[in-house]
Amino acid sequence: MFAFFKNMRGDKVIWMVVIVLSVFSLIAVYSSTSTLAYKYRAGNTEYYLFKHFGILILAFVLMYLAHLIKYSYYSRISQIFLIIAIPLLLYTLLFGKSINEAARWYTLPVINLSFQPSDLAKLALIMFLARLLTKKQDEIKDFKTGFLPITIPVLVVCGLILPANFSTAAILFATSLVLMFIGRVRMKYILSLVGLGCVMMAIIFLLGKSFHNVGRLETWSNRVENFISGGDSIAGNYQPAQAMIAVANGGIFGKMPGNSTQKNFLPQAYSDYIYAIIIEEFGLVGGIIILLMYIIILHRAVRIVIKCPRHFGAFLTIGLTFSLVFQAMINMAVAVNLLPVTGQTLPLVSMGGTSLWFTSIAIGIILSVSKEIETNPEAEVAYAGR
């Protein structure tokens, strides 16, 4: 085991964190899918365990392959991904199917595999922004030649994601703003985008209250209204209430793995609310461990960024890391009722397929940057001046 980690390239701490989160994921998914097993698999509780284990194995393979590619190649790959992602987003918005009344999904032909194009679009946009910010450092302060070319893809991609998946669009928009700030875009331009985002949120909320059955506008506005009002609506407050019961039942050390009771009442206990199940079974200690894992990822990413300032690798690392950690924090905040329901999963922990795979690819790219720094630190200085 120690020899394996010794020969592993890239940041070994991040590798270890991924393994720890995967172990928690297996235990929590196995426990929280028991109701599904009895409902759809005649009580075969091992079915979802083995299925999730297979998904995790493929995720590790994708992560490993992504970290083998020299990270500078992702600059051109981002263009290909974005060219694929934008038409997919448009097609899915118009013709895609909804699963569990959630965001729209696209089904790949031949293999019949469903996935959310927003997962691909997130990865593509962050990579493409890192590319643009690197290339436009000499004119980054100019509105026409610096700011506009960077802003247009952000508005297009987030705009296409927004009608079907507000929370994902918001996370991606926030990540883009962070990248722009780090990339030295003028603060007044960034603030103008923040203002535009606030106006769009207000319009969406008003449309959701004024019209029925317009996309998911009504769903979002009801969630926000229920949260602000303290959950006076029993129907609207059902999931947060069950999650809070799970958190309260956990105490300090939890009820031990497999002993959760709220998994029988919480919809999406294996995805959106898996953090509440972890706290119920592992207690406050388990919840803090999960939180620390994401903080460690952020800390290690910052160390990588410090070693490659104003460089494609730096923008790539901080963008992908912020998106992952921000999503994790939102999921955990929802589970403890600090935020309204968003539908965001817990990265690397929640049960899933393509979302987990795209997250693994993102981590593999981060590891690729750290691997390059370890093996060829001189190249960092040379490339930063391009």
Side-chain angles (χ1 to χ4, degrees), residues 21 243-244 247 271-279 286-295 324-340 342-347 349-350:
L21 289 175
M244 289 303 294
V247 171
S271 56
D272 298 1
Y273 281 95
I274 198 167
Y275 187 63
I277 302 302
I278 289 175
I279 294 179
I288 291 175
I289 290 174
I290 296 294
L291 176 62
L292 285 175
M293 292 299 103
Y294 292 105
I295 293 175
L324 185 152
V325 174
F326 191 37
Q327 178 179 333
M329 296 300 171
I330 287 176
N331 175 277
M332 290 185 281
V334 169
V336 296
N337 204 29
L338 292 177
L339 287 176
T342 62
Q344 290 295 315
T345 57
L346 189 58
V349 178
S350 295

Side-chain angles (χ1 to χ4, degrees), residues 98-134:
S98 296
I99 298 179
N100 293 327
E101 298 182 356
R104 291 188 175 273
W105 295 60
Y106 174 77
T107 302
L108 293 170
V110 182
I111 59 176
N112 198 35
L113 176 67
S114 295
F115 81 103
Q116 286 182 276
S118 58
D119 292 325
L120 172 62
K122 279 196 303 183
L123 183 62
L125 181 61
I126 292 170
M127 291 164 57
F128 189 69
L129 276 182
R131 171 188 170 88
L132 286 181
L133 287 168
T134 302

Side-chain angles (χ1 to χ4, degrees), residues 238-371:
Y238 178 77
Q239 291 186 86
Q242 298 302 321
M244 289 303 294
I245 293 173
V247 171
N249 288 342
I252 302 297
F253 299 105
K255 302 169 70 173
M256 296 295 105
N259 292 326
S260 167
T261 54
Q262 294 310 112
K263 65 186 178 185
N264 300 315
F265 303 99
L266 253 177
Q268 310 299 319
Y270 44 84
S271 56
D272 298 1
Y273 281 95
I274 198 167
Y275 187 63
I277 302 302
I278 289 175
I279 294 179
E280 184 178 13
E281 297 190 344
F282 293 92
L284 180 63
V285 173
I288 291 175
I289 290 174
I290 296 294
L291 176 62
L292 285 175
M293 292 299 103
Y294 292 105
I295 293 175
I296 291 171
I297 290 177
L298 181 61
H299 171 70
R300 300 303 295 186
V302 170
R303 286 173 58 92
I304 295 170
V305 170
I306 290 173
K307 294 179 182 179
C308 52
R310 295 186 184 179
H311 178 272
F312 175 68
F315 295 135
L316 197 58
T317 299
I318 201 63
L320 294 173
T321 303
F322 180 83
S323 177
L324 185 152
V325 174
F326 191 37
Q327 178 179 333
M329 296 300 171
I330 287 176
N331 175 277
M332 290 185 281
V334 169
V336 296
N337 204 29
L338 292 177
L339 287 176
V341 179
T342 62
Q344 290 295 315
T345 57
L346 189 58
L348 298 173
V349 178
S350 295
M351 186 175 77
T354 52
S355 62
L356 180 56
W357 294 335
F358 279 112
T359 300
S360 299
I361 292 172
I363 294 177
I365 295 172
I366 296 169
L367 290 168
S368 174
V369 178
S370 67
K371 177 197 69 176

Side-chain angles (χ1 to χ4, degrees), residues 13-88:
V13 175
I14 293 180
W15 279 110
M16 285 297 299
V17 167
V18 170
I19 291 172
V20 171
L21 289 175
S22 298
V23 171
F24 268 99
S25 178
L26 280 172
I27 296 172
V29 167
Y30 181 51
S31 174
S32 59
T33 53
S34 58
T35 302
L36 280 181
Y38 281 100
K39 187 175 182 180
Y40 298 110
R41 296 291 164 181
N44 183 6
T45 55
E46 284 75 28
Y47 171 81
Y48 291 103
L49 172 66
F50 290 123
K51 179 182 178 181
H52 188 59
F53 181 73
I55 291 172
L56 281 176
I57 292 297
L58 182 54
F60 268 95
V61 171
L62 292 173
M63 192 184 306
Y64 180 78
L65 293 176
H67 110 289
L68 290 179
I69 300 173
K70 189 174 182 180
Y71 76 86
S72 58
Y73 293 163
Y74 287 108
S75 177
R76 292 194 179 276
I77 292 173
S78 67
Q79 295 175 290
I80 301 172
F81 278 11
L82 199 63
I83 291 172
I84 296 172
I86 290 177
L88 274 181

